[in-house]
Amino acid sequence: MTAVTVRLTQGTPCWVSLMTSDHQGATAFYGALLDWEFTPGPTHLGAYARATLHGAKVAGIGVTPPGPGRPVEWTTYFSVDDADLVSQRIRECGGTVAVGPLQAERAGRLAIAADVWGAVFGLWQGEEHLGWEVVDEPGAPVWSELLTPDEQSAAAFYRMVFGPSVPQQDATAPLAGIRHSTDLRDGPPRWRVHFAVGDVDLTVAQAVALGGAVLVPPHEGPAGRVARLADPQGGRFSVVQLP
């Protein structure tokens, strides 16, 4: 288990958040699947709950804004020192900022953006809430990975936005990477969120029993046994078996 007690270096993933059309259904699904409990979070964008694992904050679940075409999606947030400054840099580098920067009560300051290929990600300038408090434990985040058709240009974009600390595919940073992919079975370029589990095959069976779906069955990957799932509302995520 790795406990996180300080603000992470700029450009490092620090939080994952699901925006869903069924808040109650999502909390029930992930609570049962990943052993999460929930506490209230900031409500500046609607109902929001922070998921906790044995008392440590690991993720958030909110409600998608009303209106058609709002996807159910997990978003990876990156720690930043100044959300306003980084948002401006995103625009200068050809990306877009769709939400914010705005204040999330006393928790911190956030923005939601997309890179030049449309992959959505968040910025988090932590104040009272620095981000997740544990990683690399069953039920906690373990990896975020950008799948993009142009790995080198994507890496250059994130280096310009965040600085040289942004993780590369071959870096030793344990929380994120960028990988070349032209496989569109899972939609356009996106940051994929991975959660650690003790047994991938058992977790997949539990997800199906809870109303979820299997997008990619369990198989051996570079980091161990992995599977790609969708929750009952369509939110996609991966699970990785810890050694």
Side-chain angles (χ1 to χ4, degrees):
M1 180 182 72
T2 302
V4 180
T5 58
V6 297
R7 181 189 289 178
L8 295 171
T9 303
Q10 177 160 292
T12 305
C14 66
W15 191 247
V16 291
S17 189
L18 174 71
M19 300 301 288
T20 180
S21 56
D22 181 356
H23 191 263
Q24 183 175 0
T27 55
F29 174 83
Y30 289 100
L33 186 69
L34 298 176
D35 198 25
W36 288 353
E37 296 181 341
F38 296 91
T39 61
T43 57
H44 57 289
L45 294 177
Y48 191 81
R50 292 190 183 122
T52 64
L53 185 68
H54 312 308
K57 293 188 285 289
V58 291
I61 296 180
V63 176
T64 53
R70 303 286 188 175
V72 176
E73 200 71 80
W74 279 100
T75 299
T76 297
Y77 283 77
F78 293 86
S79 177
V80 295
D81 300 326
D82 186 326
D84 295 80
L85 179 62
V86 175
S87 293
Q88 180 60 33
R89 198 175 298 153
I90 289 169
R91 298 185 185 99
E92 293 171 353
C93 293
T96 58
V97 179
V99 177
L102 55 83
Q103 195 69 23
E105 300 173 5
R106 293 181 295 179
R109 192 160 179 79
L110 70 84
I112 299 174
D115 64 24
V116 293
W117 299 270
V120 175
F121 61 97
L123 309 179
W124 182 249
Q125 180 184 334
E127 295 173 7
E128 287 190 356
H129 171 59
L130 298 178
W132 53 42
E133 296 174 341
V134 64
V135 293
D136 295 339
E137 179 181 352
V142 67
W143 183 251
S144 287
E145 183 174 68
L146 173 65
L147 271 66
T148 177
D150 191 340
E151 177 190 352
Q152 291 186 347
S153 294
F157 170 86
Y158 286 98
R159 280 198 300 269
M160 288 187 290
V161 167
F162 293 123
S165 62
V166 63
Q168 302 289 314
Q169 177 187 356
D170 59 349
T172 57
L175 292 174
I178 299 173
R179 180 162 64 91
H180 174 267
S181 176
T182 56
D183 188 349
L184 299 180
R185 289 178 297 176
D186 196 29
R190 68 181 65 244
W191 281 94
R192 288 181 171 179
V193 174
H194 297 64
F195 296 104
V197 296
D199 187 320
V200 163
D201 296 84
L202 177 60
T203 300
V204 168
Q206 291 173 332
V208 172
L210 291 166
V214 180
L215 302 178
V216 179
H219 62 281
E220 296 301 325
R225 195 157 179 78
V226 62
R228 184 80 171 148
L229 304 173
D231 64 33
Q233 290 76 43
R236 291 165 284 195
F237 64 102
S238 294
V239 289
V240 179
Q241 187 165 315
L242 291 176

Short mmCIF file of all heavy atoms in Angstrom, two decimals, residues 171-237:
data_model
loop_
_atom_site.label_atom_id
_atom_site.label_comp_id
_atom_site.label_asym_id
_atom_site.label_seq_id
_atom_site.Cartn_x
_atom_site.Cartn_y
_atom_site.Cartn_z
N ALA A 171 8.89 5.70 -18.76
CA ALA A 171 9.37 6.29 -17.52
C ALA A 171 9.08 5.36 -16.36
O ALA A 171 8.31 4.41 -16.46
CB ALA A 171 8.72 7.65 -17.29
N THR A 172 9.72 5.65 -15.22
CA THR A 172 9.50 4.82 -14.04
C THR A 172 8.37 5.34 -13.18
O THR A 172 8.04 4.74 -12.17
CB THR A 172 10.79 4.77 -13.20
OG1 THR A 172 11.16 6.12 -12.85
CG2 THR A 172 11.92 4.13 -13.98
N ALA A 173 7.74 6.48 -13.57
CA ALA A 173 6.62 7.00 -12.80
C ALA A 173 5.52 5.96 -12.74
O ALA A 173 5.12 5.41 -13.76
CB ALA A 173 6.11 8.29 -13.43
N PRO A 174 4.98 5.67 -11.54
CA PRO A 174 4.10 4.52 -11.39
C PRO A 174 2.63 4.77 -11.68
O PRO A 174 1.84 3.86 -11.58
CB PRO A 174 4.28 4.17 -9.91
CG PRO A 174 4.53 5.49 -9.26
CD PRO A 174 5.31 6.29 -10.26
N LEU A 175 2.24 6.00 -12.02
CA LEU A 175 0.81 6.31 -12.03
C LEU A 175 0.23 6.59 -13.41
O LEU A 175 -0.99 6.62 -13.56
CB LEU A 175 0.52 7.51 -11.12
CG LEU A 175 0.72 7.25 -9.62
CD1 LEU A 175 0.54 8.54 -8.84
CD2 LEU A 175 -0.23 6.19 -9.13
N ALA A 176 1.03 6.82 -14.43
CA ALA A 176 0.47 7.16 -15.74
C ALA A 176 1.45 6.88 -16.85
O ALA A 176 2.66 6.79 -16.64
CB ALA A 176 0.06 8.63 -15.77
N GLY A 177 0.90 6.77 -18.08
CA GLY A 177 1.73 6.57 -19.24
C GLY A 177 0.99 6.97 -20.50
O GLY A 177 -0.23 7.19 -20.49
N ILE A 178 1.72 7.08 -21.59
CA ILE A 178 1.18 7.42 -22.90
C ILE A 178 1.58 6.31 -23.86
O ILE A 178 2.76 5.96 -23.95
CB ILE A 178 1.71 8.78 -23.39
CG1 ILE A 178 1.30 9.89 -22.42
CG2 ILE A 178 1.21 9.09 -24.80
CD1 ILE A 178 1.92 11.24 -22.72
N ARG A 179 0.60 5.77 -24.58
CA ARG A 179 0.88 4.62 -25.45
C ARG A 179 0.23 4.81 -26.81
O ARG A 179 -0.92 5.28 -26.90
CB ARG A 179 0.37 3.33 -24.79
CG ARG A 179 0.62 2.07 -25.61
CD ARG A 179 0.51 0.83 -24.73
NE ARG A 179 -0.81 0.63 -24.17
CZ ARG A 179 -1.76 -0.08 -24.77
NH1 ARG A 179 -1.54 -0.62 -25.96
NH2 ARG A 179 -2.93 -0.25 -24.20
N HIS A 180 0.95 4.44 -27.84
CA HIS A 180 0.42 4.54 -29.20
C HIS A 180 -0.66 3.49 -29.41
O HIS A 180 -0.51 2.33 -29.04
CB HIS A 180 1.54 4.33 -30.22
CG HIS A 180 1.06 4.27 -31.64
ND1 HIS A 180 0.74 3.08 -32.27
CD2 HIS A 180 0.79 5.26 -32.53
CE1 HIS A 180 0.33 3.35 -33.50
NE2 HIS A 180 0.36 4.65 -33.68
N SER A 181 -1.78 3.91 -30.01
CA SER A 181 -2.85 2.97 -30.34
C SER A 181 -3.71 3.56 -31.44
O SER A 181 -4.06 4.74 -31.40
CB SER A 181 -3.71 2.66 -29.11
OG SER A 181 -4.80 1.83 -29.48
N THR A 182 -4.05 2.74 -32.40
CA THR A 182 -5.01 3.13 -33.44
C THR A 182 -6.27 2.27 -33.36
O THR A 182 -7.09 2.28 -34.27
CB THR A 182 -4.38 2.99 -34.83
OG1 THR A 182 -3.91 1.64 -35.01
CG2 THR A 182 -3.21 3.95 -35.00
N ASP A 183 -6.41 1.54 -32.26
CA ASP A 183 -7.58 0.69 -32.04
C ASP A 183 -8.74 1.55 -31.56
O ASP A 183 -8.70 2.14 -30.48
CB ASP A 183 -7.25 -0.38 -30.99
CG ASP A 183 -8.36 -1.42 -30.86
OD1 ASP A 183 -9.46 -1.20 -31.41
OD2 ASP A 183 -8.12 -2.44 -30.18
N LEU A 184 -9.79 1.65 -32.37
CA LEU A 184 -10.92 2.51 -32.04
C LEU A 184 -12.09 1.74 -31.43
O LEU A 184 -13.20 2.28 -31.33
CB LEU A 184 -11.40 3.24 -33.32
CG LEU A 184 -10.36 4.15 -33.98
CD1 LEU A 184 -10.95 4.79 -35.23
CD2 LEU A 184 -9.87 5.22 -33.01
N ARG A 185 -11.86 0.49 -31.00
CA ARG A 185 -12.97 -0.28 -30.41
C ARG A 185 -13.50 0.37 -29.14
O ARG A 185 -14.67 0.20 -28.80
CB ARG A 185 -12.50 -1.71 -30.11
CG ARG A 185 -12.28 -2.57 -31.33
CD ARG A 185 -11.78 -3.94 -30.95
NE ARG A 185 -10.48 -3.86 -30.29
CZ ARG A 185 -9.85 -4.93 -29.79
NH1 ARG A 185 -10.42 -6.14 -29.86
NH2 ARG A 185 -8.66 -4.79 -29.22
N ASP A 186 -12.66 1.11 -28.45
CA ASP A 186 -13.09 1.77 -27.21
C ASP A 186 -13.30 3.27 -27.41
O ASP A 186 -13.28 4.04 -26.48
CB ASP A 186 -12.05 1.54 -26.11
CG ASP A 186 -12.62 1.85 -24.74
OD1 ASP A 186 -13.85 1.69 -24.55
OD2 ASP A 186 -11.86 2.26 -23.85
N GLY A 187 -13.51 3.67 -28.67
CA GLY A 187 -13.80 5.06 -28.95
C GLY A 187 -12.56 5.87 -29.26
O GLY A 187 -11.47 5.32 -29.49
N PRO A 188 -12.67 7.18 -29.29
CA PRO A 188 -11.55 8.06 -29.65
C PRO A 188 -10.48 8.08 -28.56
O PRO A 188 -10.66 7.46 -27.50
CB PRO A 188 -12.24 9.43 -29.78
CG PRO A 188 -13.43 9.34 -28.88
CD PRO A 188 -13.91 7.93 -28.99
N PRO A 189 -9.36 8.77 -28.78
CA PRO A 189 -8.31 8.84 -27.76
C PRO A 189 -8.87 9.26 -26.41
O PRO A 189 -9.71 10.17 -26.32
CB PRO A 189 -7.35 9.90 -28.33
CG PRO A 189 -7.51 9.78 -29.80
CD PRO A 189 -8.98 9.48 -30.02
N ARG A 190 -8.41 8.59 -25.36
CA ARG A 190 -8.93 8.87 -24.02
C ARG A 190 -7.92 8.40 -22.98
O ARG A 190 -7.07 7.55 -23.25
CB ARG A 190 -10.26 8.16 -23.79
CG ARG A 190 -10.18 6.65 -23.71
CD ARG A 190 -11.56 6.02 -23.50
NE ARG A 190 -12.43 6.25 -24.63
CZ ARG A 190 -13.56 6.97 -24.55
NH1 ARG A 190 -13.93 7.51 -23.40
NH2 ARG A 190 -14.31 7.15 -25.61
N TRP A 191 -8.04 8.99 -21.80
CA TRP A 191 -7.28 8.51 -20.64
C TRP A 191 -8.08 7.37 -20.00
O TRP A 191 -9.22 7.56 -19.59
CB TRP A 191 -7.07 9.63 -19.64
CG TRP A 191 -5.97 10.56 -20.03
CD1 TRP A 191 -6.08 11.73 -20.72
CD2 TRP A 191 -4.58 10.37 -19.77
NE1 TRP A 191 -4.85 12.29 -20.92
CE2 TRP A 191 -3.90 11.48 -20.33
CE3 TRP A 191 -3.83 9.39 -19.12
CZ2 TRP A 191 -2.51 11.63 -20.26
CZ3 TRP A 191 -2.46 9.54 -19.04
CH2 TRP A 191 -1.81 10.65 -19.61
N ARG A 192 -7.48 6.19 -19.94
CA ARG A 192 -8.13 5.03 -19.32
C ARG A 192 -7.73 4.93 -17.86
O ARG A 192 -6.56 5.00 -17.51
CB ARG A 192 -7.72 3.75 -20.04
CG ARG A 192 -8.32 3.59 -21.42
CD ARG A 192 -7.87 2.27 -22.03
NE ARG A 192 -8.57 1.97 -23.26
CZ ARG A 192 -8.34 0.88 -24.00
NH1 ARG A 192 -7.41 0.01 -23.60
NH2 ARG A 192 -9.01 0.66 -25.10
N VAL A 193 -8.71 4.73 -17.01
CA VAL A 193 -8.50 4.61 -15.57
C VAL A 193 -8.43 3.13 -15.20
O VAL A 193 -9.27 2.33 -15.64
CB VAL A 193 -9.63 5.31 -14.80
CG1 VAL A 193 -9.50 5.07 -13.30
CG2 VAL A 193 -9.63 6.80 -15.11
N HIS A 194 -7.44 2.76 -14.39
CA HIS A 194 -7.27 1.39 -13.93
C HIS A 194 -7.33 1.36 -12.40
O HIS A 194 -6.70 2.19 -11.73
CB HIS A 194 -5.91 0.83 -14.36
CG HIS A 194 -5.72 0.72 -15.85
ND1 HIS A 194 -5.72 1.81 -16.69
CD2 HIS A 194 -5.51 -0.37 -16.64
CE1 HIS A 194 -5.53 1.41 -17.93
NE2 HIS A 194 -5.39 0.09 -17.92
N PHE A 195 -8.05 0.36 -11.87
CA PHE A 195 -8.10 0.14 -10.43
C PHE A 195 -7.45 -1.20 -10.10
O PHE A 195 -7.58 -2.18 -10.84
CB PHE A 195 -9.55 0.13 -9.93
CG PHE A 195 -10.26 1.44 -10.11
CD1 PHE A 195 -11.18 1.61 -11.13
CD2 PHE A 195 -10.00 2.51 -9.27
CE1 PHE A 195 -11.82 2.83 -11.31
CE2 PHE A 195 -10.63 3.73 -9.44
CZ PHE A 195 -11.54 3.89 -10.47
N ALA A 196 -6.75 -1.24 -8.98
CA ALA A 196 -6.10 -2.47 -8.53
C ALA A 196 -7.13 -3.40 -7.89
O ALA A 196 -8.05 -2.94 -7.19
CB ALA A 196 -5.00 -2.15 -7.52
N VAL A 197 -6.99 -4.68 -8.13
CA VAL A 197 -7.85 -5.70 -7.50
C VAL A 197 -6.98 -6.89 -7.11
O VAL A 197 -5.87 -7.06 -7.63
CB VAL A 197 -9.00 -6.16 -8.42
CG1 VAL A 197 -9.95 -5.01 -8.73
CG2 VAL A 197 -8.46 -6.77 -9.72
N GLY A 198 -7.49 -7.70 -6.22
CA GLY A 198 -6.74 -8.88 -5.80
C GLY A 198 -6.86 -10.04 -6.75
O GLY A 198 -5.94 -10.86 -6.86
N ASP A 199 -7.99 -10.12 -7.48
CA ASP A 199 -8.24 -11.24 -8.40
C ASP A 199 -9.08 -10.72 -9.56
O ASP A 199 -10.27 -10.44 -9.39
CB ASP A 199 -8.96 -12.37 -7.67
CG ASP A 199 -9.12 -13.63 -8.50
OD1 ASP A 199 -9.40 -13.51 -9.71
OD2 ASP A 199 -8.97 -14.73 -7.95
N VAL A 200 -8.47 -10.55 -10.73
CA VAL A 200 -9.17 -9.98 -11.88
C VAL A 200 -10.35 -10.84 -12.30
O VAL A 200 -11.45 -10.34 -12.56
CB VAL A 200 -8.20 -9.78 -13.06
CG1 VAL A 200 -8.96 -9.61 -14.37
CG2 VAL A 200 -7.32 -8.58 -12.82
N ASP A 201 -10.17 -12.15 -12.37
CA ASP A 201 -11.25 -13.02 -12.85
C ASP A 201 -12.45 -12.96 -11.91
O ASP A 201 -13.60 -12.90 -12.37
CB ASP A 201 -10.73 -14.45 -12.98
CG ASP A 201 -9.64 -14.56 -14.04
OD1 ASP A 201 -8.47 -14.28 -13.70
OD2 ASP A 201 -9.96 -14.89 -15.19
N LEU A 202 -12.20 -12.95 -10.61
CA LEU A 202 -13.29 -12.85 -9.65
C LEU A 202 -13.98 -11.50 -9.76
O LEU A 202 -15.22 -11.41 -9.72
CB LEU A 202 -12.76 -13.05 -8.23
CG LEU A 202 -13.77 -12.92 -7.09
CD1 LEU A 202 -14.89 -13.93 -7.25
CD2 LEU A 202 -13.08 -13.08 -5.74
N THR A 203 -13.21 -10.42 -9.93
CA THR A 203 -13.79 -9.09 -10.05
C THR A 203 -14.66 -8.99 -11.30
O THR A 203 -15.74 -8.38 -11.26
CB THR A 203 -12.68 -8.03 -10.10
OG1 THR A 203 -11.90 -8.11 -8.91
CG2 THR A 203 -13.26 -6.63 -10.23
N VAL A 204 -14.22 -9.57 -12.40
CA VAL A 204 -15.01 -9.56 -13.63
C VAL A 204 -16.35 -10.28 -13.42
O VAL A 204 -17.40 -9.79 -13.83
CB VAL A 204 -14.22 -10.21 -14.79
CG1 VAL A 204 -15.12 -10.48 -15.99
CG2 VAL A 204 -13.06 -9.31 -15.19
N ALA A 205 -16.31 -11.43 -12.77
CA ALA A 205 -17.55 -12.16 -12.50
C ALA A 205 -18.48 -11.34 -11.60
O ALA A 205 -19.70 -11.30 -11.82
CB ALA A 205 -17.23 -13.51 -11.85
N GLN A 206 -17.93 -10.66 -10.60
CA GLN A 206 -18.74 -9.83 -9.72
C GLN A 206 -19.34 -8.65 -10.49
O GLN A 206 -20.50 -8.28 -10.28
CB GLN A 206 -17.88 -9.32 -8.56
CG GLN A 206 -17.47 -10.41 -7.58
CD GLN A 206 -16.48 -9.90 -6.54
OE1 GLN A 206 -15.71 -8.97 -6.78
NE2 GLN A 206 -16.50 -10.52 -5.36
N ALA A 207 -18.56 -8.03 -11.38
CA ALA A 207 -19.05 -6.90 -12.16
C ALA A 207 -20.25 -7.31 -13.01
O ALA A 207 -21.24 -6.58 -13.10
CB ALA A 207 -17.94 -6.34 -13.03
N VAL A 208 -20.16 -8.46 -13.65
CA VAL A 208 -21.27 -8.95 -14.47
C VAL A 208 -22.50 -9.21 -13.60
O VAL A 208 -23.63 -8.86 -13.96
CB VAL A 208 -20.85 -10.22 -15.24
CG1 VAL A 208 -22.05 -10.84 -15.94
CG2 VAL A 208 -19.76 -9.88 -16.25
N ALA A 209 -22.30 -9.82 -12.44
CA ALA A 209 -23.41 -10.10 -11.54
C ALA A 209 -24.08 -8.82 -11.04
O ALA A 209 -25.28 -8.80 -10.76
CB ALA A 209 -22.92 -10.92 -10.35
N LEU A 210 -23.32 -7.73 -10.98
CA LEU A 210 -23.85 -6.45 -10.52
C LEU A 210 -24.46 -5.62 -11.65
O LEU A 210 -24.90 -4.49 -11.44
CB LEU A 210 -22.74 -5.63 -9.85
CG LEU A 210 -22.23 -6.17 -8.51
CD1 LEU A 210 -20.92 -5.49 -8.13
CD2 LEU A 210 -23.28 -5.96 -7.42
N GLY A 211 -24.48 -6.17 -12.87
CA GLY A 211 -25.08 -5.47 -14.00
C GLY A 211 -24.10 -4.82 -14.93
O GLY A 211 -24.50 -4.13 -15.88
N GLY A 212 -22.78 -5.01 -14.71
CA GLY A 212 -21.79 -4.44 -15.59
C GLY A 212 -21.56 -5.31 -16.81
O GLY A 212 -22.21 -6.34 -17.00
N ALA A 213 -20.62 -4.90 -17.66
CA ALA A 213 -20.33 -5.62 -18.89
C ALA A 213 -18.83 -5.79 -19.04
O ALA A 213 -18.04 -4.98 -18.53
CB ALA A 213 -20.90 -4.87 -20.10
N VAL A 214 -18.43 -6.83 -19.75
CA VAL A 214 -17.03 -7.10 -20.04
C VAL A 214 -16.72 -6.59 -21.44
O VAL A 214 -17.29 -7.07 -22.42
CB VAL A 214 -16.70 -8.60 -19.93
CG1 VAL A 214 -15.23 -8.85 -20.23
CG2 VAL A 214 -17.08 -9.13 -18.56
N LEU A 215 -15.82 -5.61 -21.54
CA LEU A 215 -15.41 -5.07 -22.84
C LEU A 215 -14.22 -5.83 -23.40
O LEU A 215 -14.16 -6.10 -24.59
CB LEU A 215 -15.08 -3.59 -22.71
CG LEU A 215 -16.20 -2.69 -22.18
CD1 LEU A 215 -15.72 -1.25 -22.07
CD2 LEU A 215 -17.43 -2.77 -23.07
N VAL A 216 -13.25 -6.15 -22.54
CA VAL A 216 -12.09 -6.96 -22.91
C VAL A 216 -11.89 -7.98 -21.80
O VAL A 216 -11.66 -7.60 -20.65
CB VAL A 216 -10.82 -6.10 -23.09
CG1 VAL A 216 -9.63 -6.98 -23.46
CG2 VAL A 216 -11.03 -5.02 -24.14
N PRO A 217 -12.01 -9.27 -22.09
CA PRO A 217 -11.90 -10.30 -21.04
C PRO A 217 -10.54 -10.29 -20.37
O PRO A 217 -9.57 -9.73 -20.90
CB PRO A 217 -12.14 -11.61 -21.81
CG PRO A 217 -12.80 -11.21 -23.08
CD PRO A 217 -12.28 -9.85 -23.41
N PRO A 218 -10.43 -10.95 -19.22
CA PRO A 218 -9.14 -11.02 -18.53
C PRO A 218 -8.05 -11.61 -19.42
O PRO A 218 -8.27 -12.59 -20.13
CB PRO A 218 -9.44 -11.94 -17.34
CG PRO A 218 -10.90 -11.76 -17.09
CD PRO A 218 -11.52 -11.59 -18.44
N HIS A 219 -6.88 -10.97 -19.38
CA HIS A 219 -5.74 -11.43 -20.15
C HIS A 219 -4.47 -10.91 -19.50
O HIS A 219 -4.51 -10.03 -18.65
CB HIS A 219 -5.82 -10.93 -21.60
CG HIS A 219 -5.79 -9.44 -21.73
ND1 HIS A 219 -6.91 -8.65 -21.49
CD2 HIS A 219 -4.79 -8.58 -22.06
CE1 HIS A 219 -6.60 -7.38 -21.67
NE2 HIS A 219 -5.32 -7.32 -22.00
N GLU A 220 -3.35 -11.46 -19.91
CA GLU A 220 -2.07 -11.04 -19.35
C GLU A 220 -1.56 -9.82 -20.11
O GLU A 220 -1.44 -9.84 -21.33
CB GLU A 220 -1.05 -12.18 -19.43
CG GLU A 220 -1.42 -13.40 -18.61
CD GLU A 220 -1.58 -13.10 -17.13
OE1 GLU A 220 -0.82 -12.23 -16.62
OE2 GLU A 220 -2.43 -13.73 -16.48
N GLY A 221 -1.29 -8.75 -19.38
CA GLY A 221 -0.75 -7.53 -19.97
C GLY A 221 0.64 -7.26 -19.42
O GLY A 221 1.15 -8.00 -18.59
N PRO A 222 1.25 -6.16 -19.86
CA PRO A 222 2.62 -5.84 -19.40
C PRO A 222 2.72 -5.66 -17.89
O PRO A 222 3.77 -5.95 -17.31
CB PRO A 222 2.92 -4.51 -20.12
CG PRO A 222 2.02 -4.51 -21.32
CD PRO A 222 0.78 -5.22 -20.89
N ALA A 223 1.63 -5.19 -17.26
CA ALA A 223 1.67 -4.94 -15.82
C ALA A 223 1.02 -6.06 -15.02
O ALA A 223 0.89 -5.96 -13.79
CB ALA A 223 0.99 -3.62 -15.49
N GLY A 224 0.59 -7.14 -15.68
CA GLY A 224 -0.09 -8.22 -14.99
C GLY A 224 -1.44 -8.52 -15.63
O GLY A 224 -1.75 -8.05 -16.73
N ARG A 225 -2.24 -9.30 -14.94
CA ARG A 225 -3.54 -9.68 -15.47
C ARG A 225 -4.50 -8.50 -15.42
O ARG A 225 -4.62 -7.82 -14.39
CB ARG A 225 -4.10 -10.87 -14.69
CG ARG A 225 -5.26 -11.57 -15.37
CD ARG A 225 -5.40 -13.00 -14.88
NE ARG A 225 -6.51 -13.72 -15.48
CZ ARG A 225 -6.46 -14.25 -16.71
NH1 ARG A 225 -5.36 -14.12 -17.44
NH2 ARG A 225 -7.50 -14.88 -17.21
N VAL A 226 -5.20 -8.25 -16.53
CA VAL A 226 -6.01 -7.05 -16.65
C VAL A 226 -7.28 -7.36 -17.41
O VAL A 226 -7.34 -8.32 -18.19
CB VAL A 226 -5.20 -5.94 -17.38
CG1 VAL A 226 -4.84 -6.38 -18.80
CG2 VAL A 226 -5.94 -4.62 -17.41
N ALA A 227 -8.33 -6.58 -17.18
CA ALA A 227 -9.58 -6.69 -17.93
C ALA A 227 -10.18 -5.30 -18.06
O ALA A 227 -9.93 -4.42 -17.23
CB ALA A 227 -10.56 -7.63 -17.24
N ARG A 228 -10.97 -5.11 -19.11
CA ARG A 228 -11.64 -3.84 -19.37
C ARG A 228 -13.14 -4.05 -19.18
O ARG A 228 -13.73 -4.96 -19.76
CB ARG A 228 -11.34 -3.39 -20.80
CG ARG A 228 -11.90 -2.02 -21.16
CD ARG A 228 -11.03 -0.94 -20.64
NE ARG A 228 -11.42 0.37 -21.15
CZ ARG A 228 -11.28 1.49 -20.48
NH1 ARG A 228 -10.77 1.47 -19.26
NH2 ARG A 228 -11.63 2.64 -20.98
N LEU A 229 -13.76 -3.19 -18.33
CA LEU A 229 -15.15 -3.36 -17.95
C LEU A 229 -15.96 -2.09 -18.21
O LEU A 229 -15.40 -1.02 -18.46
CB LEU A 229 -15.25 -3.73 -16.47
CG LEU A 229 -14.47 -4.96 -16.00
CD1 LEU A 229 -14.54 -5.08 -14.48
CD2 LEU A 229 -15.02 -6.22 -16.66
N ALA A 230 -17.27 -2.23 -18.12
CA ALA A 230 -18.17 -1.07 -18.14
C ALA A 230 -19.17 -1.24 -17.02
O ALA A 230 -19.66 -2.36 -16.76
CB ALA A 230 -18.89 -0.95 -19.48
N ASP A 231 -19.49 -0.16 -16.33
CA ASP A 231 -20.50 -0.23 -15.28
C ASP A 231 -21.89 -0.23 -15.91
O ASP A 231 -22.03 -0.11 -17.13
CB ASP A 231 -20.31 0.91 -14.27
CG ASP A 231 -20.51 2.29 -14.87
OD1 ASP A 231 -21.34 2.45 -15.78
OD2 ASP A 231 -19.85 3.24 -14.40
N PRO A 232 -22.96 -0.41 -15.13
CA PRO A 232 -24.30 -0.50 -15.72
C PRO A 232 -24.74 0.74 -16.50
O PRO A 232 -25.62 0.66 -17.36
CB PRO A 232 -25.20 -0.72 -14.49
CG PRO A 232 -24.32 -1.38 -13.49
CD PRO A 232 -22.98 -0.74 -13.69
N GLN A 233 -24.14 1.90 -16.23
CA GLN A 233 -24.48 3.12 -16.95
C GLN A 233 -23.56 3.34 -18.16
O GLN A 233 -23.74 4.31 -18.89
CB GLN A 233 -24.40 4.32 -16.02
CG GLN A 233 -25.49 4.37 -14.96
CD GLN A 233 -25.23 3.37 -13.84
OE1 GLN A 233 -24.11 3.24 -13.36
NE2 GLN A 233 -26.28 2.67 -13.42
N GLY A 234 -22.58 2.47 -18.36
CA GLY A 234 -21.69 2.58 -19.51
C GLY A 234 -20.33 3.16 -19.22
O GLY A 234 -19.51 3.29 -20.14
N GLY A 235 -20.03 3.53 -17.98
CA GLY A 235 -18.72 4.07 -17.63
C GLY A 235 -17.65 3.00 -17.75
O GLY A 235 -17.75 1.93 -17.15
N ARG A 236 -16.61 3.28 -18.53
CA ARG A 236 -15.56 2.29 -18.81
C ARG A 236 -14.38 2.45 -17.85
O ARG A 236 -13.97 3.57 -17.55
CB ARG A 236 -15.09 2.44 -20.26
CG ARG A 236 -16.15 2.02 -21.27
CD ARG A 236 -15.81 2.50 -22.66
NE ARG A 236 -16.08 3.94 -22.79
CZ ARG A 236 -16.15 4.58 -23.94
NH1 ARG A 236 -15.96 3.92 -25.07
NH2 ARG A 236 -16.40 5.88 -23.98
N PHE A 237 -13.84 1.32 -17.43
CA PHE A 237 -12.67 1.32 -16.55
C PHE A 237 -11.98 -0.03 -16.67
O PHE A 237 -12.54 -0.99 -17.21
CB PHE A 237 -13.07 1.58 -15.09
CG PHE A 237 -13.96 0.51 -14.50
CD1 PHE A 237 -13.45 -0.46 -13.65
CD2 PHE A 237 -15.32 0.46 -14.80
CE1 PHE A 237 -14.26 -1.45 -13.09
CE2 PHE A 237 -16.15 -0.52 -14.26
CZ PHE A 237 -15.62 -1.47 -13.41
#
